[in-house]
Amino acid sequence: MTAGKGPEVLDATAAWERLLRIRTAADAHAAGLVTDGDGGRRWGQPASSGAAELAERYLPLCLAGPRIAFAQLGQSLDGFIATRTGDADYVTGAEDRRHLHRLRALADAVVVGAGTAVADDPRLTVRACPGEHPVRVVLDPQGRVPVHSGVFTDGAAPTLWVLGPGAGPTPRDALDAGVDVLRLPDAGAFDPERLLAVLARRGLGRVLIEGGGVTVSRFVRARALDRLYLTVAPVLLGDGVPGLRFPGTPVMRQALRPPLRRALLGEDTLFELELRAAAGACPGGPPHEQDHGAGQAGDEGEDAVDHGGGQSLRGAQPGGAERPGCGALAGAPAADVDRQRHREQR
């Protein structure tokens, strides 16, 4: 502190650098976060509004433990992630893209399906904020992602190419040295929980499922996600590539209503849903339903256009015990959740 001046104010840049290093309560204390008396934490020194906002939004994810699966989707008001021609440039605004890059920086691995890799040729790196690149994981059961794709050739970050037993040979000389090829033994190995277990054994316990809509939907359907970040943009597309699709319930009161938090990202609205808390309710069917047939792996990651009817996702039973570090989301859920539940009781 300089003589004659007040205490130094923590700005957003410094706050984010501290958040990147937090994984435990001890880390949070060392970073200067103190309990606020309501079960949460705040900066112990004067902080800018941006610094306070970053802690509120991302500290729960920082403290979620070494094993957590979370997903992100940006969509229109009517539930599409791209137009019917596949154009997604851009559904949501710049603040949501910055939010996505922050999620990547807090993950060990970022996962996309083959459809997204083919359609978008994404870089999947951290560029809009400080942070290390996650390992890029491409789910490609049929081996249809071109070897000249950027994730295999740009050398920007390590990449894991996950292939099924029916995929053809890969030309190693066309791939960057940082690309590992993993061949799974059967179609059932693409089950979301089994995939997460495989990644965890490689030291990749904090996993971001980034796209596309079919891949994220499969993880939701399998109850393999702890959290879902869903950003809704104030735009109507009318038709296009759908976001979330899974077999729904015919009865409204049985619909999945997870605890959530909301935030504004420019003109967009971010919904942070705590799916693990709602894991007892299985969307679209009882938890014992399963289908590990070749059809599930065969179209894993494809973003097929759905013209209003919704795409049926086959069931998948979560494998193994619940992962550690899947505690409740810090902070109270949005008040409108309680209002919705009250309406159910009318």
Side-chain angles (χ1 to χ4, degrees):
M1 184 185 306
T2 304
K5 293 185 179 181
E8 181 180 357
V9 176
L10 182 69
D11 63 20
T13 300
W16 177 247
E17 293 282 2
R18 295 186 191 185
L19 287 168
L20 285 172
R21 301 191 294 267
I22 295 175
R23 291 295 178 269
T24 66
D27 293 338
H29 179 76
L33 287 154
V34 298
T35 56
D36 60 9
D38 294 322
R41 290 181 171 84
R42 60 173 176 79
W43 298 113
Q45 69 183 91
S48 69
S49 59
E53 183 178 274
L54 287 172
E56 180 181 6
R57 183 174 303 158
Y58 298 106
L59 185 59
L61 182 58
C62 295
L63 293 174
R67 293 285 303 276
I68 181 171
F70 52 105
Q72 188 273 348
L73 276 180
Q75 66 175 44
S76 64
L77 279 171
D78 46 354
F80 298 105
I81 60 176
T83 69
R84 62 174 173 266
T85 64
D87 180 20
D89 192 10
Y90 293 100
V91 177
T92 57
E95 289 194 34
D96 182 54
R97 293 193 293 278
R98 188 177 301 112
H99 163 68
L100 171 60
H101 283 237
R102 293 192 191 279
L103 293 181
R104 290 177 184 170
L106 294 174
D108 299 325
V110 55
V111 175
V112 295
T116 295
V118 171
D120 299 340
D121 194 13
R123 296 166 68 180
L124 304 177
T125 52
V126 178
R127 304 182 302 280
C129 66
E132 295 184 6
H133 303 317
V135 174
R136 305 177 293 191
V137 180
V138 179
L139 304 181
D140 189 12
Q142 303 302 317
R144 64 189 186 89
V145 180
V147 294
H148 57 74
S149 300
V151 289
F152 302 143
T153 60
D154 64 13
T159 299
L160 181 63
W161 193 2
V162 185
L163 298 169
T170 57
R172 279 295 335 175
D173 58 349
L175 304 176
D176 181 79
V179 177
D180 286 336
V181 176
L182 172 63
R183 291 185 179 273
L184 297 182
D186 51 55
F190 280 87
D191 169 84
E193 285 283 7
R194 291 178 64 179
L195 280 168
L196 292 173
V198 168
L199 295 179
R201 287 195 291 271
R202 289 173 167 257
L204 307 174
R206 297 173 59 88
V207 180
L208 168 61
I209 313 300
E210 185 169 320
V214 170
T215 299
V216 173
S217 294
R218 283 211 170 94
F219 276 76
V220 172
R221 175 63 182 86
R223 295 179 294 161
L225 285 181
D226 300 291
R227 292 191 185 148
L228 171 64
Y229 295 87
L230 183 64
T231 304
V232 180
V235 60
L236 295 170
L237 297 182
D239 189 11
V241 179
L244 286 179
R245 290 293 187 273
F246 50 80
T249 172
V251 181
M252 182 61 71
R253 67 173 59 247
Q254 294 178 358
L256 191 62
R257 297 184 187 272
L260 63 86
R261 301 194 304 171
R262 292 177 297 169
L264 293 179
L265 299 177
E267 294 185 344
D268 305 328
T269 302
L270 169 65
F271 295 88
E272 180 183 356
L273 296 91
E274 187 193 353
L275 297 183
R276 184 60 63 178
C282 179
H288 62 270
E289 290 182 356
Q290 57 180 333
D291 178 0
H292 296 312
Q296 177 175 346
D299 58 4
E300 175 78 43
E302 295 189 13
D303 289 319
V305 175
D306 187 307
H307 296 277
Q311 178 157 348
S312 176
L313 298 177
R314 299 173 179 84
Q317 175 149 352
E322 181 176 312
R323 298 185 303 279
C326 301
L329 184 68
D336 57 332
V337 175
D338 290 332
R339 289 196 293 270
Q340 290 168 344
R341 289 170 177 164
H342 290 161
R343 284 196 292 269
E344 288 183 32
Q345 298 168 3
R346 289 187 304 186

